[in-house]
């Protein structure tokens, strides 16, 4: 009998598991860019604990194991910023990243407050770009991260969950 993956809010005691998962999951990105100084690999545990205290952090659990995570926050302009979406390498390609992304959008959505969602990924990260395009994100710009990686910035409009448009 298989276990199902559940998505829920992270707790403070999840910090070390999230930290280890993030380090494991972002190895492929680091290899892709030949750069092991990317921010998810150099972030300290204390910094991650700070994000747990201030941001919305979701985790995907398979039993007691955290197999995916994503972080987000809404800024003063109503932009829901989504970051550090990662899935355990053995579970990638099975839709868990898309589920985490949708769950974070729902968690950040606030009618009349959240106007759009924004995220970024490296320009060579084709599987990430494909996931985000499929979820409705479009490229709105780019920038170079402090680690030298060229980032693609993507956005999509937040839909008001109370807006039920009916067509005849």
């Amino acid at each position: 009998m298989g276990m199902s993956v559940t998505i829920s809010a992270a707790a403070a005691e999840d910090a070390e598991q999230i930290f280890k998962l993030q380090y494991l999951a972002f190895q492929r990105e680091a290899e892709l860019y030949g750069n092991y100084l990317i921010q998810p690999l150099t972030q300290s545990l204390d910094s991650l604990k700070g994000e747990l205290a201030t941001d919305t952090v979701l985790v995907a659990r398979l039993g007691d194991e955290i197999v995916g995570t994503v972080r987000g926050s809404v800024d003063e302009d109503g932009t829901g910023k989504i970051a550090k979406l990662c899935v355990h390498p053995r579970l990638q390609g099975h839709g868990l990243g898309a589920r985490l992304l949708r769950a974070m959008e729902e968690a950040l959505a606030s009618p009349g407050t959240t106007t759009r969602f924004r995220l970024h990924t490296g320009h060579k990260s084709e599987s990430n770009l494909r996931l985000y395009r499929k979820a409705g994100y479009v490229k709105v710009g780019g920038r170079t991260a402090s680690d030298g990686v060229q980032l693609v910035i993507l956005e999509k409009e937040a839909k008001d969950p109370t807006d039920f448009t009916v067509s005849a």
Side-chain angles (χ1 to χ4, degrees):
M1 176 188 285
M3 296 167 60
S4 64
V5 175
T6 59
I7 297 175
S8 61
E13 57 268 16
D14 294 329
E16 286 189 30
Q17 267 197 80
I18 293 169
F19 187 71
K20 290 175 184 175
L21 172 64
Q22 177 176 304
Y23 192 82
L24 176 66
F26 278 94
Q27 291 295 315
R28 197 172 115 224
E29 287 291 298
E31 184 179 337
L32 183 61
Y33 294 96
N35 183 347
Y36 288 84
L37 297 176
I38 60 175
Q39 201 279 335
L41 298 185
T42 60
Q43 181 178 27
S44 70
L45 180 58
D46 284 342
S47 170
L48 188 146
K49 287 178 179 178
E51 290 177 358
L52 274 168
T54 61
D55 295 349
T56 300
V57 182
L58 301 178
V59 292
R61 295 180 197 274
L62 183 61
D64 292 333
E65 181 186 9
I66 294 176
V67 294
T69 185
V70 62
R71 286 168 237 170
S73 61
V74 179
D75 69 16
E76 62 281 348
D77 295 329
T79 301
K81 296 182 176 182
I82 299 173
K84 295 188 181 104
L85 171 64
C86 63
V87 173
H88 193 289
R90 77 174 188 271
L91 294 176
Q92 291 175 3
H94 298 286
L96 184 52
R99 283 182 58 200
L100 279 163
L101 181 60
R102 277 192 309 275
M104 181 54 73
E105 290 171 354
E106 290 172 11
L108 296 179
S110 179
T113 305
T114 306
T115 57
R116 71 178 108 10
F117 298 109
R118 179 180 298 145
L119 48 77
H120 63 265
T121 191
H123 73 288
K124 294 181 185 177
S125 304
E126 282 304 318
S127 61
N128 297 348
L129 289 165
R130 204 170 25 257
L131 166 68
Y132 300 141
R133 281 190 217 109
K134 192 173 181 181
Y137 287 81
V138 295
K139 179 180 176 180
V140 296
R143 68 176 177 89
T144 303
S146 59
D147 54 30
V149 173
Q150 295 295 312
L151 300 176
V152 177
I153 300 169
L154 302 113
E155 287 185 355
K156 84 176 199 181
E157 294 302 310
K159 292 188 173 42
D160 185 340
T162 61
D163 181 14
F164 296 108
T165 305
V166 179
S167 60

